[in-house]
Amino acid sequence: MRVIQALYKYALPSTDGVRVSCGELLRDANGLVLVSFPFAFTETSEQALAWFRDHYSQFAEKNYRVVGLSVENVFTLKALREKLHLPYHLHSDANREVSRSLGILLPEVAGVRDVTDCSVLFVDRLRHIRRWTYGGGVSDFERIQRKLVKSEWVSA
């Protein structure tokens, strides 16, 4: 299955209590910023989610929708969202369908198979996908921010 088709096919449970596809999230936005992370309540995951929380207004100004994605269950993600006071929702890909289609599953991490890696994916309004990996460092997120918010790279 093509990546874009997968974004429209699979509807994932969200921390707002509804199931939504990435295609639906793109409907009224100029782009979708999808922050994937392997495990909730880990330093790397929390740092990434908090960074996008702290810079959320810059993405909103560009009409980019920010969401988080993990293979964790929606109940765990809801607790994480509340802990971090995130202005955006987290989506559970517990069945790993979207993550597999996007090519962001790691074979094994800490003895757990098939978990999402640390990536930021951007889907623009023309449905082009750009992906960056991060290791938790602020410089990684600033590089992504320069590309998206400061228009070093954006498809028309």
Side-chain angles (χ1 to χ4, degrees), residues 56-127:
Y56 181 80
S57 64
Q58 294 172 3
F59 294 99
E61 286 175 12
K62 292 279 198 176
N63 195 25
Y64 296 158
R65 182 151 305 154
V66 178
V67 299
L69 178 73
S70 179
V71 297
E72 298 276 9
N73 68 65
V74 73
F75 306 107
T76 300
L77 295 177
K78 187 173 182 177
L80 179 62
R81 181 175 185 253
E82 290 171 1
K83 175 187 178 194
L84 297 175
H85 305 286
L86 301 177
Y88 56 89
H89 288 283
L90 305 177
H91 296 262
S92 172
D93 187 23
N95 293 329
R96 292 150 170 84
E97 295 164 325
V98 170
S99 300
R100 185 170 285 109
S101 296
L102 292 173
I104 59 171
L105 280 181
L106 296 173
E108 184 174 326
V109 175
V112 179
R113 286 183 296 193
D114 294 333
V115 297
T116 47
D117 69 2
C118 297
S119 288
V120 175
L121 291 96
F122 178 72
V123 185
D124 69 18
R125 62 184 148 180
L126 296 178
R127 308 314 185 239

Side-chain angles (χ1 to χ4, degrees), residues 21-73:
S21 72
C22 293
E24 291 170 310
L25 293 170
L26 277 166
R27 185 175 303 143
D28 297 321
N30 289 334
L32 175 66
V33 179
L34 192 122
V35 183
S36 70
F37 57 97
F39 301 111
F41 302 104
T42 61
E43 182 178 348
T44 300
S45 297
E46 287 188 9
Q47 183 181 23
L49 296 171
W51 191 92
F52 281 91
R53 174 200 64 210
D54 296 344
H55 296 84
Y56 181 80
S57 64
Q58 294 172 3
F59 294 99
E61 286 175 12
K62 292 279 198 176
N63 195 25
Y64 296 158
R65 182 151 305 154
V66 178
V67 299
L69 178 73
S70 179
V71 297
E72 298 276 9
N73 68 65

